[in-house]
Amino acid sequence: MTALLEEAPAEAPIEAPPGSPVELGSPETAPDALAGFTIGVTATRRREEFAALLERRGARVVRAPAIRLVPLAEDADLLASTRECLAAPVDDVVVTTGVGFRGWMAAAEGWGLSADLAGHLNGARLLTRGPKARGAVRAAGLTDYWTPATESCEEVKQYLLAQDLRGRRIAVQLHGEPLTGFIAELRAAGAHVTEVPVYRWLPYRDTSPLRRLVSQAVSGSVDAVAFTSAPAVLAMLNAARADGLEDALIAAFSGPVVAACVGPVTAQPLVSRGVPAIQPERARLGSLARTLARHLPEHSVTRLIAGSHRLEIRGHAVAVDGELKPLPPAPMAVLKRLADRPGHVVARSDLRLVLPGGPSRDSAEHAVEMAITRLRRALGPSGIVETVVKRGYRLACERDDA
C-alpha cells in the first residue's frame, strides 16, 4: 500500500478572553469544548503546536510520536535524481511538501549545484500541492505555476493527465514514501518521470509511547486518536500488529474510539480497513482540532437527568450541573455501565465485569463497593446513585423501557 503524507498548516485557535464565563457544551472554539476527553496525538513534526490546539479546548493529550523524518542530503539516490534533472530541461516539477523542497535546495547547495538547479527549475512549471509547498518555492526565489484547490496529489495527477504528456520531462519530489501509482500513470501517459527522494519516514526511535497508546485505544482509555500523515497511521497499525493487537485496534476505531485524520490521504489506510475516520473539510491542524471539538461532544457524550441533577458523561470526567468532575478509571467505568441502563438496577456481578484490572472473585464485592463510594464522593450531590438492597445499584432516572 502506498502511504502518502499530508502536511497540515496550523491555524491559530480562537480563545475566550481570560475570566470569560464558559458553559459546557459551548461551540467548538470554546476553551472547554474538549473538556473531559483524552486524545492521542501521533504527530512528530509540530506535535506541540497541535497538542496546544487541543489542550486550549480542554482536552487531555497523550503524546505518542509514531514516525520520524530522515533527510537524505547525503543519499546517493537524491544526488543521482538531481543530476538527472540537470541533464536536460525539465517541463514540470511536482512539489509535494514545503519541507521536502527546502531540503532538496539545501542539499543542492551542499553539492555546489544550487545555481544550476534553480536555473533549471525556473524554466519549468512548478506545480505545488499546497500552500506550504508554494511558500517554499517562493522563498527560493522561484515562481509557482499552479496549486490544486484540494491540496491533494490526486488533483495534481489529474491536472497533468488532462494534458498531452508524451515526451514531457517531469520531476516529482517525493515525501517519505514512493508515489507508485502517481508515477506509473504519468509514465503510462508518455512522460519521462524523475523521482526525487528528499527524505523518508521511519518508525520513531522510542516505540513505547506508541505501543502504550495502542493499549489505551484498545482498552478505551482514550476517546480519540489524531493522525496527520498516512505513515503515522501505518506505524500505529504495525505497532499493534507486533503486539498482537491489530484486530483489537481496528475494532476500537470502528467502535468507541474516534480516528481523526487531517485529510483523505491520511485516512486511506484506515478507510481501506472499514474504519469510519472523521476528517475536516480542509487539511489544516486547526480544522482538525475544531472537527474533534465538534464531533466528540456531539457523539461521545451521554446526557441524562439523575436525582434532579443534569449529568454529561464524557471520556474521563462527568459534568454535574455544568461543573466538570474528573473521575478515576474504576468509578468512571461503573458510571458508564449504570448510564447504559438509566433507571434500571445493575447487579454487582455486572459492575464487577467492567472494573479495570479484572479483580478476583474474592475481592469483587469490595471493589465494586469502593468504586461506588468513590463515584458518589466525586459526583458531590447525594441521590444520583441509589443502592437497591440485595440487588445492585441504579442511577436515579426515570426508566426507559422502550
Side-chain angles (χ1 to χ4, degrees), residues 192-214:
H192 174 82
V193 182
T194 298
E195 300 176 64
V196 183
V198 184
Y199 57 81
R200 67 168 58 99
W201 293 107
L202 295 176
Y204 203 71
R205 288 187 178 89
D206 181 7
T207 61
S208 55
L210 185 61
R211 293 174 66 186
R212 283 196 297 271
L213 180 59
V214 169

Side-chain angles (χ1 to χ4, degrees), residues 235-276:
M236 188 169 188
L237 293 174
N238 290 338
R241 186 182 307 119
D243 289 341
L245 295 173
E246 184 178 16
D247 289 344
L249 180 63
I250 293 297
F253 282 147
S254 300
V257 180
V258 174
C261 298
V262 75
V265 176
T266 296
Q268 196 275 333
L270 291 172
V271 172
S272 67
R273 289 165 168 80
V275 172

Side-chain angles (χ1 to χ4, degrees), residues 2-7 69-72 75 77-78 81 85 93-104 127 129 133 153 170-184 186-187 193-201 231:
T2 300
L4 307 180
L5 167 70
E6 282 172 330
E7 283 190 333
L69 181 149
V70 180
L72 301 181
D75 192 89
D77 290 341
L78 177 57
S81 296
C85 289
V93 180
V94 177
V95 183
T96 58
T97 64
V99 65
F101 187 77
R102 289 192 298 270
W104 188 16
L127 311 178
R129 186 181 60 82
C153 287
I170 303 175
V172 178
Q173 173 244 310
L174 306 180
H175 47 52
E177 294 282 339
L179 291 171
T180 307
F182 185 100
I183 301 297
L186 296 185
R187 286 174 174 160
V193 182
T194 298
E195 300 176 64
V196 183
V198 184
Y199 57 81
R200 67 168 58 99
W201 293 107

